[in-house]
Amino acid sequence: MDGKAGNPVRVTPVGILYTRGNEQVKPSGKWLTAISLRLEATEQPEHLAPPIDGGGFFWRGPDSEELIATGDGEALSAPWVGRAPSLVARNIQPGEPEIAVIGFDLPQAGGTLQFKTPDGTTTRWELPRRTTGRGLDRVRSALAEFGIKS
């Protein structure tokens, strides 16, 4: 996929974690969801366009056309926000892959993760329906601080 300036960025979802939270932290949907992404610019430094620039990450359910953006619902108040590496102001470097975590407040597990560029190009990944993968250690630590099992 291309970054905001049109340079290629390799993005690979490498982990997903679903939690229902607890009495302190609850999703407005059914699941607070953290997705870890492996990011690497392939030619020159780049960053991914946020929704304010007409791009960004979205979730779509299996039988729905409704898109849910990162940060909708209670996603911005998830315990890992500010503790796990995020996409905010991230300058992705060639040859230096790194992990970033995005969060969603979802009505169901699974579905499709989508990234839309400002020009409307969309890349899609099917998501597993259960917690799996890597890159979520800081998410798990943050959940543990709130007494939430992961």
Side-chain angles (χ1 to χ4, degrees):
M1 78 175 52
D2 289 339
K4 185 172 178 187
N7 302 307
V9 177
R10 190 173 299 124
V11 177
T12 308
V14 293
I16 189 165
L17 183 144
Y18 297 99
T19 181
R20 293 184 193 257
N22 63 14
E23 290 302 315
Q24 291 176 288
V25 179
K26 290 184 180 182
S28 59
K30 190 172 183 178
W31 300 102
L32 281 177
T33 306
I35 300 173
S36 57
L37 305 168
R38 183 182 185 274
L39 309 169
E40 184 177 11
T42 60
E43 295 174 5
Q44 54 189 335
E46 181 61 283
H47 65 279
L48 299 178
I52 196 165
D53 293 333
F57 284 94
F58 300 88
W59 175 88
R60 185 177 56 81
D63 299 317
S64 173
E65 293 302 314
E66 176 189 10
L67 294 177
I68 295 176
T70 58
D72 283 359
E74 297 299 317
L76 290 179
S77 52
W80 59 81
V81 174
R83 295 182 173 122
S86 72
L87 286 175
V88 176
R90 183 163 301 254
N91 196 18
I92 306 162
Q93 299 295 318
E96 297 177 18
E98 53 188 284
I99 297 290
V101 174
I102 57 174
F104 290 92
D105 184 334
L106 300 177
Q108 66 187 84
T112 304
L113 176 64
Q114 300 183 19
F115 180 77
K116 186 174 106 178
T117 63
D119 71 4
T121 303
T122 302
T123 303
R124 295 173 177 82
W125 302 268
E126 291 303 313
L127 296 173
R129 292 179 175 237
R130 51 183 263 251
T131 296
T132 187
R134 59 189 175 85
L136 298 161
D137 292 342
R138 289 188 185 172
V139 171
R140 287 186 172 94
S141 277
L143 290 172
E145 287 179 32
F146 280 80
I148 301 170
K149 293 181 182 180
S150 58

